[in-house]
Amino acid sequence: MSKTKLIINRNGSIKIEGDFEIMDSEGNVYGLEGRTALGLCRCGLSSNKPFCDGSHRNNFEHEAEAFDLPPMKTK
């Protein structure tokens, strides 16, 4: 499978596609049942966090546009 992609949707979720696993803060793996694409909540309104359930509709606005981060600081 190709590399994993994260797509920041306008006014919505983060779509993740590819070969990935998702873990909670304790290192427990979510059972994704073979999915190779899904949406992650970024509005905080989903009742199924960290996954998107569409609750953001008409309640979340963010026009996602790519930009370059500044260079990393050297230590």
Side-chain angles (χ1 to χ4, degrees), residues 3-20 22 35-42 50-52 56 64:
K3 66 182 176 180
T4 302
K5 285 195 247 182
L6 295 171
I7 301 157
I8 312 303
N9 291 316
R10 280 197 164 92
N11 303 323
S13 66
I14 298 172
K15 183 177 182 182
I16 183 169
E17 297 178 338
D19 184 21
F20 58 87
I22 300 175
R35 287 173 176 82
T36 58
L38 54 78
L40 298 173
C41 177
R42 66 183 184 118
F51 307 104
C52 178
H56 62 270

Side-chain angles (χ1 to χ4, degrees), residues 3-75:
K3 66 182 176 180
T4 302
K5 285 195 247 182
L6 295 171
I7 301 157
I8 312 303
N9 291 316
R10 280 197 164 92
N11 303 323
S13 66
I14 298 172
K15 183 177 182 182
I16 183 169
E17 297 178 338
D19 184 21
F20 58 87
E21 67 180 5
I22 300 175
M23 292 181 268
D24 66 16
S25 62
E26 302 296 320
N28 301 306
V29 178
Y30 286 89
L32 303 177
E33 305 303 323
R35 287 173 176 82
T36 58
L38 54 78
L40 298 173
C41 177
R42 66 183 184 118
C43 71
L45 299 172
S46 176
S47 61
N48 196 32
K49 287 189 263 315
F51 307 104
C52 178
D53 67 2
S55 294
H56 62 270
R57 285 186 183 87
N58 302 317
N59 294 308
F60 180 75
E61 292 186 21
H62 179 258
E63 293 296 321
E65 291 187 23
F67 60 91
D68 294 332
L69 292 173
M72 291 177 56
K73 294 181 182 178
T74 57
K75 294 182 179 182

